[in-house]
Amino acid sequence: MSVELNHTIIHSRDNRESAEFLAHLLGLIIGTEWGPFIPVVLANGVTLDFATVPAGSITVQHYAFLISEAEFDTAFGRIEEQGIDYYADPHRRHPGEINHNDGGRGVYFPDPSGHGMELITRPYGGWS
């Protein structure tokens, strides 16, 4: 049996707000609410299940998404249109910039619950 990631739960202050935020930026569909979860399905079948939890219990996590150059253009345009703070690095030392690591483009930005989101057009190390 091959091992694949099927889903993960993302703690959020407001599951609907966080799911809609990511789905809008990346042009994804929000699935049917199931119990406390609002799912967003990625192209590889992995589901991000957003769950509302008390804000004080959220541990900030990092989520990186590999997207095409065209998808980057669209998503980055939406980031700029919405006035979302963005950075070229995870430590937020280069605000208002994107990076060009491994011959691609990348950007970091917070989601509504403070999780670190990252968009890249090339995997680290240049692997495709």
Side-chain angles (χ1 to χ4, degrees), residues 13-99:
R13 290 187 307 232
D14 179 321
N15 60 356
R16 172 103 13 223
E17 176 188 32
S18 291
E20 288 177 355
F21 172 84
L22 186 64
H24 173 72
L25 280 183
L26 298 179
L28 300 170
I29 303 290
I30 294 174
T32 303
E33 187 170 347
W34 183 77
F37 307 113
I38 297 182
V40 175
V41 181
L42 305 180
N44 60 351
V46 173
T47 303
L48 305 177
D49 295 331
F50 289 88
T52 300
V53 299
S57 68
I58 295 174
T59 299
V60 174
Q61 299 292 316
H62 175 79
Y63 300 93
F65 302 93
L66 178 62
I67 61 177
S68 71
E69 291 287 341
E71 290 165 329
F72 187 94
D73 290 338
T74 300
F76 185 64
R78 290 175 179 153
I79 289 169
E80 290 186 307
E81 286 170 9
Q82 293 180 30
I84 298 168
D85 292 335
Y86 63 90
Y87 307 85
D89 64 301
H91 305 292
R92 299 181 177 189
R93 293 186 187 124
H94 300 280
E97 298 177 31
I98 67 170
N99 67 59

